[in-house]
Amino acid sequence: EAGVAQSPRYKIIEKRQSVAFWCNPISGHATLYWYQQILGQGPKLLIQFQNNGVVDDSQLPKDRFSAERLKGVDSTLKIQPAKLEDSAVYLCASSSPGGTEKLFFGSGTQLSVL
Amino acid sequence: SQQGEEDPQALSIQEGENATMNCSYKTSINNLQWYRQNSGRGLVHLILIRSNEREKHSGRLRVTLDTSKKSSSLLITASRAADTASYFCATDPIQGAQKLVFGQGTRLTINP
């Protein structure tokens, strides 16, 4: 079974630039999550999709972050404009119907904002 | 906000010894899960324990849950160098949106 695919693996940008991350979840997984993991900390949920609808985006900084999941499969997370404190690993995860019993994570995108 | 607090933050032991990590949380939960993260990689699900369970085993892993104390422990027996990783507990709160809340993690180093 193919895992959760994420790209790019690394990204370096300057502050105020924009950046986008892509995620392809495990086939058949209805729920997709984007987490932000700052160095030395645990993952923090940014947004959760159920199919192509948003379940929770309470911790997403909506003035600069946006996410979409068209057709309920792939998802993109965008930051515009980026700030220094956005430097982190952005993890995508998916789970099968039934919700939060077991999440499958991608390898993440490591973002450095200079 | 992060509900789980792992203890210790870092643990270094010799290969073959047992490693114990603890997790405390604040609100009532449906289940508690443990994940492992190798350096530079995503998280891997290890084990899930439901709120009505007290102990669960999976290979060299043993997880306990005490809902009265809102705490859990993860025991790794006969540790190996490959167990070197960060370990996170994640809780599924009863109240609020259905989502997992991760703790800060324990960095485990197994010395050969």
Side-chain angles (χ1 to χ4, degrees):
Chain A
E1 164 180 270
V4 176
Q6 287 190 249
S7 67
R9 188 75 176 89
Y10 304 94
K11 191 73 177 178
I12 300 174
I13 62 172
E14 295 190 351
K15 60 182 179 183
R16 290 187 290 273
Q17 286 187 325
S18 63
V19 64
F21 314 124
W22 173 82
C23 173
N24 187 353
I26 291 174
S27 177
H29 280 193
T31 311
L32 184 147
Y33 314 78
W34 283 102
Y35 282 87
Q36 180 193 58
Q37 186 177 24
I38 292 172
L39 185 64
Q41 297 184 17
K44 182 184 86 170
L45 181 68
L46 293 175
I47 189 166
Q48 177 180 340
F49 292 95
Q50 180 76 19
N51 296 310
N52 60 351
V54 175
V55 173
D56 187 332
D57 63 356
S58 58
Q59 298 191 91
L60 186 74
K62 297 179 186 67
D63 58 335
R64 298 184 301 107
F65 285 65
S66 64
E68 61 181 10
R69 191 183 184 196
L70 300 176
K71 301 181 182 179
V73 181
D74 293 11
S75 177
T76 56
L77 175 69
K78 297 178 182 177
I79 307 175
Q80 182 179 13
K83 292 185 175 180
L84 296 177
E85 58 260 37
D86 298 332
S87 293
V89 175
Y90 291 85
L91 294 163
C92 179
S94 68
S95 63
S96 58
T100 55
E101 295 249 320
K102 180 177 179 179
L103 270 58
F104 294 82
F105 282 83
S107 294
T109 295
Q110 185 170 325
L111 174 66
S112 297
V113 182
L114 306 178
Chain B
S1 64
Q2 298 192 289
Q3 163 158 246
E5 298 260 347
E6 280 95 339
D7 171 57
Q9 290 190 349
L11 178 62
S12 181
I13 61 174
Q14 294 301 118
E15 196 167 18
E17 293 180 340
N18 296 339
T20 299
M21 290 158 270
N22 303 295
C23 170
S24 59
Y25 57 93
K26 299 174 184 172
T27 63
S28 297
I29 60 173
N30 293 309
N31 66 67
L32 184 146
Q33 303 173 38
W34 286 90
Y35 287 78
R36 183 188 73 227
Q37 186 178 34
N38 291 90
S39 180
R41 309 298 296 179
L43 284 76
V44 175
H45 182 270
L46 294 176
I47 195 165
L48 177 152
I49 187 165
R50 301 186 190 282
S51 59
N52 62 350
E53 298 175 311
R54 292 296 167 260
E55 188 170 312
K56 207 159 182 181
H57 296 255
S58 177
R60 294 184 296 112
L61 305 180
R62 173 180 166 245
V63 170
T64 61
L65 179 64
D66 186 335
T67 53
S68 66
K69 295 182 179 177
K70 291 187 170 59
S71 67
S72 173
S73 68
L74 171 67
L75 168 68
I76 303 174
T77 60
S79 64
R80 305 167 181 169
D83 295 328
T84 294
S86 291
Y87 291 81
F88 296 89
C89 69
T91 52
D92 178 7
I94 288 177
Q95 299 231 341
Q98 188 182 39
K99 65 182 181 185
L100 281 185
V101 182
F102 286 83
Q104 301 272 32
T106 293
R107 292 188 307 278
L108 175 65
T109 302
I110 308 299
N111 302 303

